[in-house]
Amino acid sequence: QGSKGAVSFLQVNRGSMRHAISKAAKLLQQRAFALHSKTLLEAASAAAANPFVKVIEMIESLLEKLKAEAASEATHKAWCDKELNANKLKRNKKTAEVNKLQAEVEGLDASIAEMGATIQKLSQEQADLTTAMREATELRQKEKAENEETISDATAGAEAVKQALVILKEFYSSQAAPAALIQRKQ
C-alpha cells in the first residue's frame, strides 16, 4: 500500500490466485490419497472448482470433521483398549482354569492307571485262588473217596468180625464141656 516494490495481498492478480488455489487443491488431493480420506478428497475437489473464500469455509468444515473423527477414533481406541484388557483378563482366567483341569485330568489318569494295575493284580490273585480251590477240592474229593473206601473196608471188616464171633460162639457153645483156657504155672 505505501511503498514502492511492496506487494500486498490485494495486488495479487487473478492468475496467481488461481495458481494458489490449484496448488492448495493438489496438496489436499495428495494428502487425501495418502491418508485414504474421502473428506479430504471432497475438499480438494471443491477447492479446484470454487473460489478461495469457499475453500476457507470448506477447510474449516474439514477441520471440524477431522476433529470429530479424531475424537471418535480416540473414543473407539479407548473402548478397544478396555475390551482388549478385559479379554486378556478373561483369557488369563480361562488359561488358569484349563491348566487346573489338565492337572486334574493327569491326576485322574494316574489314578486310573494305578487302579488298573490293582485290578490286574487282584484278578491274578483271584485266578490263583480259584486254581488253589480247584486243586484243594480235587484233593479233598480224592481223600474222601479213599476215606469212603476205608470206611467201606472197615464196615465190611466189622461185619466179618461179627460173623466170625457168631461162628465162634456157636462152635464153642456146641462143644460138650466148656473149654477154658487155663494158665498153669510151671
Side-chain angles (χ1 to χ4, degrees), residues 18-34 40-41 43-45 47-48:
R18 283 185 189 158
H19 178 67
I21 291 171
S22 174
K23 195 173 179 182
K26 282 183 182 179
L27 177 67
L28 288 173
Q29 190 175 28
Q30 288 173 351
R31 298 306 289 161
F33 286 126
L40 279 177
L41 191 57
S45 297

Side-chain angles (χ1 to χ4, degrees), residues 114-128:
E114 183 181 326
M115 288 179 185
T118 302
I119 288 171
Q120 187 175 7
K121 178 184 172 189
L122 291 174
S123 294
Q124 183 60 43
E125 288 177 2
Q126 183 181 14
D128 293 345

